[in-house]
Amino acid sequence: MSTTAELLKGAAELFPDEVVTSAHVRHFELPAGAGRFALITLDNGFDHTKPTTFGPQSLANLNTAIDQVEAEAANGEIVGAGITGKPFIFAVGADLKGVELLKQHSDALAIGKGGHDVFKRLANLAVPTFAYYNGAAMGGGVEVGLHCTYRTVSKALPAFSLPEVFLGLVPGWGGCTILPNLIGAEKAVSVIIENSLNQNRQLKGKQVFELGIADALFEGADFLEQSLIWTAQVLKGDVTVERPEIDRGEGWDQAVAKGRAIADSKVHGAAPAAYRALDIIEASKDGDLQKGFDAEDQALADLIMGGELRSGIYAFNLVQKRGKRPAGAPDKNLARPVTKVGVVGAGLMASQLALLFLRRLEVPVVLTDIDQERVDKGVGYVHAEIEKLLGKGRINQDKANRLKGLVSGVLDKAEGFADADFIIEAVFEEMTVKQKVFAEVEAVAPAHAILATNTSSLSVSEMASKLQHPERVVGFHFFNPVAILPLLEIVRGEKTDDASLATAFAVAKKLKKTGVLTKDAPAFVVNRILTRFMGEIQNIIDEGTPVATAEKAVEPLGLPMSPLVLLELVGPAIGLHVSETLNRSFPERFTVSPNLKAVVEAGKRGFYVYNAENGFKPELDPEVAALLKQGDVVLTEEQARDRVLDAVAQEIGLMLEEGVVAEAQDIDLCLITGAGWPFHLGGITPYLDREGVSERVNGKRFLAQGVASVPA
């Protein structure tokens, strides 16, 4: 039987590049004569921009620190022990870079066991233990504190979560077992399953306390000092920590059932992590912690050796790293300053853009449109949104006044744009309209101004072709809702120069958007893939497969909504328009569905109706059903899914051949950040590789073995 130290030594050898966390032990006398206390501080030697993690060597360091504290406790030299983090960071969990390198189930099992064996020792010391959550705590950082007798949390703590399910893991160092036994299954399911599957929602310090995870809440400024005073009171018996009785009966079972319903609605059984976590929570009902820990070890090892986690880590790295350093972007030093922004149009999209530029750049923003009423409505929208931010306490009165003062609207483009550095159009999606707008803008804008278009499918080069200076035109395609979806497709036209492109990327960064460089190809990235995806589903329905079968076929993809619900959100008319645009470019692959045309011509908002009797679930609208003209080719769910996935794999293969983006990674980054495709799939290409679709259609994988998959 290997000792913990041997396990960790073996794991550390597999991971030579670990950023190692030290565990410093210091001693002091507690206030009010409560006695001598040992405090372990977790610190990787970097500032808060490089959060503290637990790789194998870091766990070994903590293990050594506990050796010392354990001996002191056994000898009666200390009355208690605590654990805290460096400024602003408690600890953010396992080091995922090490997890990616694991090739053997036994190595993965060692990581799970190693963490448990070290953390468990905190619960088994001869003196009470205290965790002081002073800053960001996630995953293993949360779990090390759960093994302590007591916990305090800072009001200033910005982010606290168990995000493992979001990435394709389970909280495997005690989270699934201890948390429900501490705060009850219902609250634990909310933290472990619901928050994770809601785009990794974070808790603040106050919520951590209100959930009962922490026993006391203190201000950030003197957090450790107050925590130690409280610790002294607990140890002297002046403060007694009361914890609620846990419902280990029906309430526990209902919480697990609710968790399964949440998982079904989010991932439709397509990703195993949530279900494995719920199995462990269910089995922890009797309070047998060791049994739970063993189940966590097994689940952790199985999931580490599965494709979902590798895809989750791949997606995480895309968003955190590639998204911040866009492939193919020019030298950022070429970017020109933007001190004033012009927006052509004052409709809803244009008004959302104006609000975003105003909030992020805090420079004058001017809207124009064809009549005063529209201009006033656009400015009014921005003012109303600023008032909402003020009402929610997100900004103060001074800032609200300043932002309102920076936004204006005019009818005369010459008056509005004469000193603007960046002008974006958001007018009707029609080439002649956009060319006319750009000609008018070019006549009055300064020579250095960038002219950006928010087109979703039209050619940026063609739009710029009649201008004297086409080199300053760039595609700047946002996704709806603008405030929420991070993606910004930045399109290089045939003549776009590096300075204009660099400025566009610099602006995207200030807007806190994920800029991805795309070639000026029809519908760019997201709309081209989604249109091919939706088009194939529409073809299958038109040929004769029932609507419900076609929709259910793609459920294993775990998409945020079904294709026809998405069509409703986009608007059937827009969906039809994009399919017509792509049909003109690629008639052999992009069809225009006669049924979709009929739905649009009938003025229907979508294929479904919703009513209270069936709990507002989507039901095929009888009027739409009457419009549908279908053939007699009926496919099974599996056949339909193969057809759709083959079409998507073919399209992505062609896009990469055409150089629409630099690599398959950019396709995935676009789908995750622009269309909400699941993290656990890594976007789409890892899934197509894993299911064998890529090789079936294109004769090769999109990603090398070991990228978003277990290394060979």
Side-chain angles (χ1 to χ4, degrees):
M1 187 73 181
S2 298
T3 65
T4 303
E6 286 166 350
L7 270 180
L8 294 172
K9 187 168 180 285
E13 283 164 10
L14 297 171
F15 184 20
D17 300 326
E18 177 185 351
V19 176
V20 176
T21 298
S22 301
H24 307 288
V25 183
R26 58 194 168 117
H27 298 87
F28 39 77
E29 293 296 325
L30 285 170
R36 189 163 181 264
F37 190 79
L39 181 67
I40 300 169
T41 302
L42 302 168
D43 191 345
N44 61 5
F46 292 90
D47 70 8
H48 66 279
T49 58
K50 199 158 200 167
T52 306
T53 51
F54 292 120
Q57 186 55 54
S58 306
L59 285 172
N61 289 347
L62 178 56
N63 199 41
T64 303
I66 297 172
D67 283 343
Q68 180 188 338
V69 174
E70 186 178 58
E72 291 168 354
N75 294 334
E77 293 166 29
I78 53 172
V79 292
I83 187 164
T84 192
K86 66 183 183 182
F88 309 110
I89 304 286
F90 182 79
V92 298
D95 191 322
L96 293 175
K97 291 196 292 297
V99 171
E100 280 179 281
L101 302 172
L102 298 174
K103 298 181 183 181
Q104 305 291 333
H105 192 276
S106 55
D107 294 335
L109 198 60
I111 289 289
K113 272 192 69 54
H116 270 132
D117 289 350
V118 175
F119 290 0
K120 255 183 351 200
R121 298 181 67 198
L122 288 166
N124 296 334
L125 290 184
V127 292
T129 48
F130 297 78
Y132 306 128
Y133 292 123
N134 62 305
M138 293 169 205
V142 168
E143 289 171 302
V144 71
L146 292 178
H147 284 268
C148 293
T149 326
Y150 303 101
R151 285 154 295 281
T152 69
V153 66
S154 165
K155 275 186 189 170
L157 182 144
F160 182 105
S161 64
L162 289 169
E164 287 84 352
V165 166
F166 177 64
L167 291 168
L169 272 177
V170 298
W173 285 341
C176 289
T177 304
I178 301 173
L179 194 64
N181 279 291
L182 176 70
I183 61 172
E186 188 181 356
K187 289 176 182 173
V189 163
S190 168
V191 173
I192 294 169
I193 307 295
E194 195 167 10
N195 288 357
S196 274
L197 294 179
N198 277 320
Q199 295 301 316
N200 190 19
R201 188 193 292 149
Q202 300 292 319
L203 298 167
K204 299 268 191 281
K206 186 163 178 276
Q207 294 167 294
V208 174
F209 172 66
E210 285 167 352
L211 281 164
I213 300 171
D215 303 305
L217 176 73
F218 298 114
E219 292 293 344
D222 56 353
F223 170 70
L224 192 56
E225 191 184 336
Q226 291 301 320
S227 293
L228 292 170
I229 292 169
W230 182 83
T231 298
Q233 292 169 332
V234 170
L235 291 172
K236 289 177 73 182
D238 299 340
V239 166
T240 307
V241 172
E242 301 279 347
R243 295 203 179 117
E245 188 69 32
I246 302 297
D247 181 343
R248 296 184 184 279
E250 207 176 309
W252 194 290
D253 300 337
Q254 283 170 349
V256 172
K258 182 188 170 190
R260 292 194 195 284
I262 292 167
D264 287 344
S265 73
K266 292 286 184 182
V267 299
H268 308 286
Y275 302 97
R276 290 296 293 264
L278 287 161
D279 289 345
I280 300 167
I281 293 170
E282 186 171 33
S284 302
K285 182 176 171 180
D286 61 2
D288 181 344
L289 296 187
Q290 189 52 53
K291 188 176 78 181
F293 296 163
D294 292 341
E296 287 175 352
D297 288 341
Q298 202 55 52
L300 212 52
D302 292 348
L303 292 166
I304 285 173
M305 298 317 292
E308 185 205 357
L309 170 69
R310 306 302 172 126
S311 298
I313 296 174
Y314 163 81
F316 186 77
N317 288 336
L318 285 183
V319 172
Q320 294 299 324
K321 293 175 185 167
R322 196 179 184 93
K324 291 180 170 61
R325 287 189 288 280
D331 181 351
K332 60 178 185 287
N333 295 321
L334 295 171
R336 295 193 283 262
V338 173
T339 59
K340 184 178 178 183
V341 174
V343 182
V344 185
L348 182 59
M349 190 66 178
S351 303
Q352 286 183 52
L353 295 181
L355 178 69
L356 181 69
F357 279 93
L358 183 67
R359 285 197 65 202
R360 297 282 184 240
L361 270 59
E362 295 192 23
V363 298
V365 175
V366 59
L367 296 106
T368 68
D369 212 318
I370 51 175
D371 60 51
Q372 194 62 46
E373 189 185 340
R374 291 177 199 224
V375 169
D376 292 345
K377 192 175 174 192
V379 174
Y381 169 87
V382 177
H383 280 197
E385 290 299 312
I386 292 167
E387 281 296 327
K388 282 185 197 167
L389 292 169
L390 178 64
K392 288 177 184 166
R394 303 267 290 278
I395 55 174
N396 62 24
Q397 188 66 59
D398 280 354
K399 184 149 189 189
N401 294 343
R402 192 166 81 252
L403 290 177
K404 282 184 182 176
L406 286 170
V407 67
S408 60
V410 292
L411 285 174
D412 182 2
K413 291 186 181 69
E415 181 192 337
F417 298 158
D419 56 349
D421 308 301
F422 192 99
I423 300 159
I424 185 165
E425 68 72 28
V427 298
F428 187 64
E429 192 74 347
E430 182 66 57
M431 184 58 79
T432 51
V433 176
K434 291 189 186 278
Q435 284 178 331
K436 180 171 176 283
V437 160
F438 268 164
E440 289 169 4
V441 171
E442 188 180 47
V444 298
H448 69 273
I450 306 296
L451 307 184
T453 167
N454 184 42
T455 183
S456 58
S457 58
L458 300 176
S459 166
V460 174
S461 305
E462 191 184 335
M463 215 177 287
S465 61
K466 297 184 176 172
L467 298 177
Q468 290 174 332
H469 294 286
E471 70 277 1
R472 57 178 172 157
V473 176
V474 64
F476 215 59
H477 178 220
F478 290 88
F479 288 78
N480 230 336
V482 169
I484 294 169
L485 289 175
L487 180 63
L488 190 44
E489 290 178 338
I490 299 180
V491 186
R492 182 172 209 150
E494 281 166 26
K495 301 273 176 68
T496 308
D497 64 20
D498 279 357
S500 301
L501 204 58
T503 307
F505 273 102
V507 169
K509 193 170 184 179
K510 282 191 176 155
L511 294 173
K512 296 188 178 170
K513 294 294 179 189
T514 302
V516 175
L517 179 63
T518 102
K519 187 179 161 187
D520 185 19
F524 317 126
V525 180
V526 172
N527 284 345
R528 179 161 163 185
I529 293 170
L530 286 186
T531 305
R532 186 77 200 272
F533 173 75
M534 304 281 281
E536 203 52 49
I537 285 169
Q538 198 68 61
N539 291 342
I540 288 165
I541 292 168
D542 292 353
E543 290 164 18
T545 298
V547 170
T549 306
E551 285 264 84
K552 210 163 174 350
V554 292
E555 271 190 2
L557 282 166
L559 299 176
M561 59 189 76
S562 78
L564 293 182
V565 173
L566 174 65
L567 181 70
E568 207 168 286
L569 191 71
V570 171
I574 293 172
L576 179 66
H577 173 74
V578 178
S579 69
E580 287 169 342
T581 304
L582 281 159
N583 172 256
R584 285 194 290 276
S585 301
F586 309 115
E588 68 289 355
R589 298 195 312 279
F590 287 85
T591 51
V592 178
S593 162
N595 280 323
L596 179 58
K597 217 169 185 171
V599 167
V600 172
E601 282 166 2
K604 303 302 290 183
R605 289 184 52 199
F607 277 62
Y608 292 130
V609 286
Y610 303 84
N611 53 55
E613 289 88 79
N614 75 337
F616 296 101
K617 288 196 181 84
E619 268 184 10
L620 189 61
D621 182 342
E623 291 177 22
V624 170
L627 291 171
L628 295 182
K629 291 186 168 59
Q630 291 181 281
D632 52 12
V633 178
V634 180
L635 301 184
T636 64
E637 280 177 31
E638 197 176 336
Q639 290 169 326
R641 180 161 57 253
D642 285 348
R643 271 267 301 268
V644 173
L645 292 177
D646 287 2
V648 171
Q650 182 195 29
E651 203 58 40
I652 292 170
L654 292 165
M655 288 165 73
L656 292 171
E657 273 175 33
E658 289 167 31
V660 175
V661 288
E663 292 181 291
Q665 280 87 335
D666 295 308
I667 300 268
D668 293 318
L669 183 57
C670 285
L671 287 172
I672 291 163
T673 56
W677 280 46
F679 243 67
H680 64 76
L681 291 185
I684 181 65
T685 69
Y687 180 80
L688 295 172
D689 285 350
R690 199 159 71 225
E691 296 293 312
V693 181
S694 315
E695 293 193 40
R696 183 169 76 222
V697 175
N698 300 321
K700 60 181 182 185
R701 297 168 63 93
F702 286 115
L703 302 165
Q705 186 72 41
V707 178
S709 55
V710 177

